[in-house]
Amino acid sequence: MKADLYTSVALAITISLLTGCGGGGGSSSTPPVATTPTTPTTPVTSAPKWEAGVYEPQSQFIAKCETPRTGIDPFTGSAYPDTQGTAMDEKLWLRSWTNDTYLWYDEVDDNDPENFSVLAYFDQLKTNELTPSGTLKDNFHFSQDTAEYNELSQSGIESGFGFDWEFGSNTVPRELTVRFTEPGSPAASANVPRGAKVLSINGVDFVNDNTQQGVAVLNDGLFPDDAGTTTSFEFELIDGTTMSVDITSTDVSVTPVQNVKVLDTENGKTGYFQFNAFIVTAQEGLIEAFDTFVEQNVTELVMDLRYNGGGRLALASQLSYMVAGPNQTNNATFETLRFNDKNPTTNPITGETIRPTPFYSNVIDYNAGRLTDTLLPSLSLTRVYVISTDATCSASEAVMNALRGIDVEVVQIGSTTCGKPYGFYPTDNCGETYFTIQFQGVNNKGFGDYADGFMPTNTPNFDFELPGCEVEDDFTASLGEPNEGMLSAALEFAATGACPEVVSGNGMADVNALRSNQSALVGEKLIPIDTPETRRENFILHNKINQPVIQEQD
């Protein structure tokens, strides 16, 4: 994924510094002459100064680091670009970079960098404006150690058990439920079912322990740093029974496309697939799924994106084409990126002219970033059902928006999506990778204002409201089973045009009820457990990764 990161290239600047030396000498016959001793000097880089409202070019500060890296970057094979600088250099680079590329640069307060550490300064380099619903406009501003980010984003593999978790509460009384397990993972081999709730980890009460020592045990057991770590779990299953199992972590690969099925329904053959991530390895799985749907003459399609946080826009474009087919996508735009008003026609990150992303109709060689001659399968549907939750983000929402832009009806089953029509180019400086919102995506009709998410409703009145049903996630049934609450609602809507009157309970305790139970702990500090799954989704998935794809000229 080296091409996805668009890492900054530094200008090498050589600084010559004089080094003082001192001393005295004489012969045995000559008394020594007293001198004032001097101390050898260390090269010093003077810090630049901040001036309110004055923004120097990024190139003046880029890769000038308080603690430069040395040697070869293992992910690029090139020497680190870092040169000796100061913390103020790093902060002023962040300031100029933000002013050049941040989507809402004119809503950022120009505070004195002296009052902040480097990371704290970056944290406040964002808008404080709100969306129409009253939430922060920018909820996607973060940074990460570059080596950790590269390891996570470029390998696609991490040490773990293969659980995908649903966090009900990360403070006591805690609730952590299994959404699903990755095929072939230790969790799947242990037969831990969907809906299982964690009761204890390595003998520590997961639900109620509120000690630093206990929470440390929970974090270490739940999210091991290395493969080969064995953790003892106790679960409560949907039927109320308990299950105790020891599971050893390993390097787990994500299977993005799962549970591909063709269901015989009142409306004819209905295709279903669970899709968890727009990553490169998804292309093969999507093609195989749609080949199956085409071969079996599927006339309705349910795309389960409830846990899909996003990823590559090119894959999102390919999926949209496979749904809509050649006629509806012909000469249409999948998505166009809009940058800040300083850059109406040029991408400020790549320097290239802004070009719309088309509906890609061919297989892509992602290693070469090139379209092949192989045509994708397609269904040419005029309606599609999308299962969504607040974990449905970014490239998933781009698919929904793009299909609506070419008048494919999108019926939404579930709950409001996370609301991220925005994206960024991860940018490294001095060993920290920064993520700041740099573009907004709009569809073929120019719409991209869904910062509060797409919302299912019986009577849509606004462009961010979609026809469909509000349905809770159902943990009492396996994903892909026709009796699972969300899929069942989609099938009923397809058959009747109406939402089910009653949706089965989801087996999850109500979070508000959990919070009310904390009254017994008033005055006691609640210690949260870590939630690395959320962090992982932010780094890899909650991002529109816009890798250019080369199209052969006719």
Side-chain angles (χ1 to χ4, degrees):
M1 291 175 60
K2 297 173 186 173
D4 301 331
L5 301 180
Y6 295 92
T7 51
S8 300
V9 178
L11 297 176
I13 300 176
T14 304
I15 302 174
S16 299
L17 296 161
L18 296 176
T19 302
C21 59
S27 67
S28 59
S29 60
T30 307
V33 178
T35 61
T36 302
T38 61
T39 303
T41 61
T42 301
V44 176
T45 301
S46 59
K49 299 297 183 183
W50 165 77
E51 184 178 349
V54 177
Y55 296 86
E56 301 294 342
Q58 294 181 49
S59 58
Q60 187 166 320
F61 310 109
I62 194 168
K64 291 185 177 180
C65 312
E66 185 177 28
T67 307
R69 294 164 292 178
T70 59
I72 302 298
D73 183 342
F75 292 96
T76 66
S78 301
Y80 288 111
D82 303 2
T83 58
Q84 185 62 57
T86 66
M88 182 58 78
D89 284 301
E90 294 186 36
K91 286 183 273 191
L92 291 182
W93 174 79
L94 284 168
R95 178 172 174 263
S96 294
W97 175 66
T98 299
N99 191 58
D100 287 344
T101 70
Y102 187 55
L103 187 61
W104 306 290
Y105 70 95
D106 53 352
E107 297 175 12
V108 177
D109 294 332
D110 189 15
N111 295 317
D112 187 347
E114 283 286 1
N115 299 326
F116 304 87
S117 68
V118 173
L119 295 185
Y121 183 64
F122 171 72
D123 287 344
Q124 57 84 55
L125 283 174
K126 64 176 184 174
T127 180
N128 293 313
E129 297 295 317
L130 305 177
T131 68
S133 71
T135 60
L136 286 173
K137 184 192 291 187
D138 187 352
N139 277 320
F140 307 98
H141 192 79
F142 62 97
S143 70
Q144 165 72 353
D145 176 85
T146 296
E148 291 180 10
Y149 169 72
N150 285 341
E151 182 67 35
L152 191 59
S153 64
Q154 295 194 35
S155 68
I157 297 175
E158 59 182 331
S159 178
F161 303 108
F163 289 111
D164 191 89
W165 297 109
E166 177 81 17
F167 280 87
S169 173
N170 67 342
T171 56
V172 297
R174 300 183 189 89
E175 185 172 64
L176 184 61
T177 305
V178 176
R179 289 173 169 174
F180 63 90
T181 57
E182 288 290 348
S185 68
S189 299
N191 295 315
V192 180
R194 172 172 162 83
K197 298 179 184 178
V198 179
L199 294 179
S200 70
I201 293 175
N202 288 335
V204 174
D205 184 344
F206 176 82
V207 178
N208 299 305
D209 192 293
N210 196 47
T211 65
Q212 291 285 1
Q213 181 179 4
V215 171
V217 172
L218 297 177
N219 285 333
D220 290 343
L222 196 57
F223 305 111
D225 291 329
D226 302 308
T229 302
T230 300
T231 296
S232 297
F233 289 92
E234 183 182 11
F235 295 97
E236 180 183 1
L237 307 185
I238 289 294
D239 62 5
T241 61
T242 59
M243 174 184 184
S244 297
V245 62
D246 291 346
I247 306 179
T248 301
S249 66
T250 188
D251 291 332
V252 178
S253 298
V254 172
T255 303
V257 180
Q258 300 182 26
N259 293 318
V260 177
K261 297 185 176 183
V262 176
L263 307 172
D264 289 316
T265 70
E266 297 177 32
N267 263 23
K269 291 187 179 292
T270 298
Y272 167 90
F273 66 104
Q274 173 193 346
F275 186 31
N276 299 326
F278 288 88
I279 58 178
V280 169
T281 53
Q283 179 175 233
E284 182 179 356
L286 288 173
I287 291 172
E288 290 176 355
F290 277 83
D291 278 338
T292 298
F293 298 151
V294 171
E295 289 168 5
Q296 298 200 31
N297 297 315
V298 160
T299 56
E300 300 277 9
L301 180 65
V302 180
M303 298 194 297
D304 194 338
L305 305 181
R306 74 183 78 185
Y307 306 132
N308 193 321
R312 290 177 182 253
L313 278 179
L315 265 167
S317 172
Q318 289 176 298
L319 173 58
S320 301
Y321 170 83
M322 286 189 269
V323 171
N327 293 334
Q328 296 177 102
T329 60
N330 186 38
N331 294 323
T333 294
F334 168 76
E335 182 170 276
T336 300
L337 303 187
R338 288 182 179 171
F339 294 85
N340 62 36
D341 59 14
K342 295 181 178 181
N343 301 281
T345 60
T346 302
N347 182 320
I349 315 301
T350 66
E352 298 175 350
T353 300
I354 297 172
R355 292 184 175 86
T357 299
F359 286 88
Y360 290 124
S361 58
N362 292 67
V363 173
I364 294 174
D365 179 346
Y366 278 98
N367 289 327
R370 183 181 297 276
L371 284 174
T372 71
D373 294 331
T374 305
L375 190 66
L376 294 168
S378 62
L379 291 173
S380 297
L381 298 176
T382 57
R383 178 178 59 237
V384 66
Y385 298 84
V386 174
I387 294 176
S388 69
T389 66
D390 61 1
T392 304
C393 283
S394 195
S396 289
E397 294 172 302
V399 169
M400 299 167 72
N401 195 44
L403 290 173
R404 297 178 76 237
I406 55 172
D407 295 320
V408 172
E409 182 182 18
V410 177
V411 180
Q412 184 178 359
I413 306 294
S415 55
T416 302
T417 61
C418 82
K420 194 185 179 193
Y422 312 116
F424 36 54
Y425 292 87
T427 303
D428 164 51
N429 191 55
C430 298
E432 190 77 8
T433 294
Y434 297 96
F435 303 77
T436 197
I437 295 296
Q438 292 159 323
F439 60 83
Q440 177 180 12
V442 299
N443 66 15
N444 193 59
K445 296 181 178 180
F447 177 74
D449 295 322
Y450 50 90
D452 285 317
F454 286 114
M455 306 173 186
T457 179
N458 286 325
T459 55
N461 293 311
F462 301 97
D463 285 336
F464 55 80
E465 293 179 327
L466 276 63
C469 312
E470 286 194 52
V471 185
E472 292 183 335
D473 202 353
D474 177 13
F475 287 83
T476 66
S478 298
L479 295 174
E481 292 300 316
N483 63 335
E484 186 276 318
M486 287 181 161
L487 178 52
S488 175
L491 297 176
E492 181 166 341
F493 193 97
T496 68
C499 298
E501 293 184 9
V502 179
V503 178
S504 60
N506 64 10
M508 290 278 288
D510 184 81
V511 174
N512 292 328
L514 282 172
R515 292 300 184 189
S516 68
N517 290 336
Q518 293 175 350
S519 59
L521 296 165
V522 172
E524 183 177 350
K525 181 180 179 181
L526 301 180
I527 306 173
I529 61 166
D530 292 340
T531 56
E533 256 55 18
T534 299
R535 186 183 68 181
R536 171 185 170 276
E537 288 172 359
N538 279 338
F539 296 154
I540 296 182
L541 306 178
H542 289 180
N543 182 21
K544 293 182 176 181
I545 302 173
N546 189 38
Q547 178 189 14
V549 175
I550 300 171
Q551 294 182 269
E552 300 294 348
Q553 300 298 316
D554 295 332

